[in-house]
Amino acid sequence: MIAYTLYKNYNSKEWVTFVHGAGGSSSIWFKQIREFQKHFNVLLLDLRGHGNSNKQIKITFNQKYTFQSIANDVLEVIDHLKIKTSHFVGISLGTIVIRQLAEAHPNRVKSMILGGAILKMNFRSQILMRLGNTFKYILPYLVLYRFFAFVIMPNKNHKQSRLLFINEAKKLYQKEFIRWFKLTSEINPILKWFRQQELNIPTYYVMGEEDYMFLPSVRKVVERHFKSSTLFVVEKCGHVVNVEQYDIFNKQVIDFIQKK
């Protein structure tokens, strides 16, 4: 089972589960814990190979990684904790894991809050994937990761998020990075399906206005999925909205959940 941390609120029956992105860990939610625990029970996860779950790699996770198997890791934890339903908050690649879980088990997901959501790989991100596939066995993974982080989060005000993810990525192993990177081979058909299919689950996209790689596709999807989806754009903010503009992120997300 992947590692997890609980922050209980004995005055609430609502659960909020946080799912980080590739290369991060549950520590990226450090600016959310205090505020969310005032209102909800909080569950933080370390996805396989990340954070405190990296100790289990050799024993547990030798099979090929898929988004479905990673979503099943999340389901295993909430089953173990006997959490019947939860609101799910994700960032970056974590939003794909949440959507995959919601596809298979919609009755377990009360709402989805998708920050820095990935719904389509644009031309620039497709080039990044090809470069990564070309050099993933040649270059040290941190060289590639730093390059990816800079391309996705290039501005001065993105520096804190960029450094946070790079520092977390240092805890990975080269083989683990390659396992996760191989997920890109299945990402396009999955994202195409997500864009086409609207789930009957309240969905709140929280995107930075400077998230130039992913915001345009989210705008289009929200226009089509208007029955279930809402978009909030954070000004002067890049990809990692929960870090760069945490006050706005916390208020918007807590307000959204409390209305559900």
Side-chain angles (χ1 to χ4, degrees), residues 216-233:
S217 59
V218 170
R219 287 189 188 276
K220 292 178 181 177
V221 168
V222 170
E223 287 178 5
R224 293 199 298 269
H225 296 181
F226 60 89
K227 292 180 182 178
S228 63
S229 299
T230 309
L231 169 63
F232 182 84
V233 178

Side-chain angles (χ1 to χ4, degrees), residues 57-239:
I57 297 170
K58 294 180 182 178
I59 302 171
T60 313
F61 303 132
N62 290 322
Q63 75 273 30
K64 179 185 175 182
Y65 287 12
T66 65
F67 284 110
Q68 185 60 63
S69 64
I70 293 167
N72 287 341
D73 292 343
V74 176
L75 182 66
E76 183 181 24
V77 173
I78 63 174
D79 280 347
H80 172 73
L81 296 172
K82 295 180 173 56
I83 298 172
K84 293 182 179 180
T85 62
S86 176
H87 304 272
F88 285 84
V89 181
I91 194 75
S92 194
L93 203 75
T95 64
I96 302 178
V97 177
I98 291 172
R99 177 61 196 263
Q100 185 71 59
L101 176 64
E103 288 279 344
H105 303 278
N107 59 314
R108 309 298 294 276
V109 181
K110 294 193 75 171
S111 72
M112 299 185 289
I113 296 89
L114 308 178
I118 300 174
L119 286 176
K120 187 176 182 180
M121 306 300 285
N122 66 6
F123 178 75
R124 194 170 298 190
S125 54
Q126 297 279 4
I127 294 295
L128 276 181
M129 286 198 303
R130 289 173 189 167
L131 286 172
N133 276 313
T134 301
F135 293 107
K136 66 179 181 284
Y137 292 110
I138 302 170
L139 294 175
Y141 78 92
L142 270 177
V143 173
L144 284 173
Y145 197 87
R146 285 193 179 100
F147 175 67
F148 295 155
F150 187 79
V151 173
I152 295 171
M153 300 171 272
N155 296 357
K156 286 184 179 180
N157 56 307
H158 308 164
K159 184 177 180 180
Q160 183 185 8
S161 302
R162 191 166 63 239
L163 292 177
L164 176 63
F165 270 79
I166 290 170
N167 287 333
E168 285 301 314
K170 289 178 182 177
K171 300 172 186 177
L172 288 174
Y173 302 104
Q174 180 81 14
K175 288 183 179 179
E176 186 64 15
F177 173 82
I178 291 171
R179 287 191 187 106
W180 274 86
F181 200 86
K182 284 180 178 178
L183 278 172
T184 58
S185 64
E186 66 170 275
I187 201 168
N188 284 327
I190 283 178
L191 294 183
K192 183 178 180 181
W193 175 260
F194 290 170
R195 294 194 302 272
Q196 291 174 342
Q197 301 297 317
E198 180 175 7
L199 296 179
N200 188 29
I201 296 173
T203 305
Y204 196 37
Y205 293 94
V206 185
M207 305 291 294
E209 69 171 351
E210 298 168 357
D211 195 354
Y212 65 94
M213 288 183 71
F214 303 115
L215 177 57
S217 59
V218 170
R219 287 189 188 276
K220 292 178 181 177
V221 168
V222 170
E223 287 178 5
R224 293 199 298 269
H225 296 181
F226 60 89
K227 292 180 182 178
S228 63
S229 299
T230 309
L231 169 63
F232 182 84
V233 178
V234 184
E235 296 180 357
K236 298 178 182 178
C237 185
H239 185 58

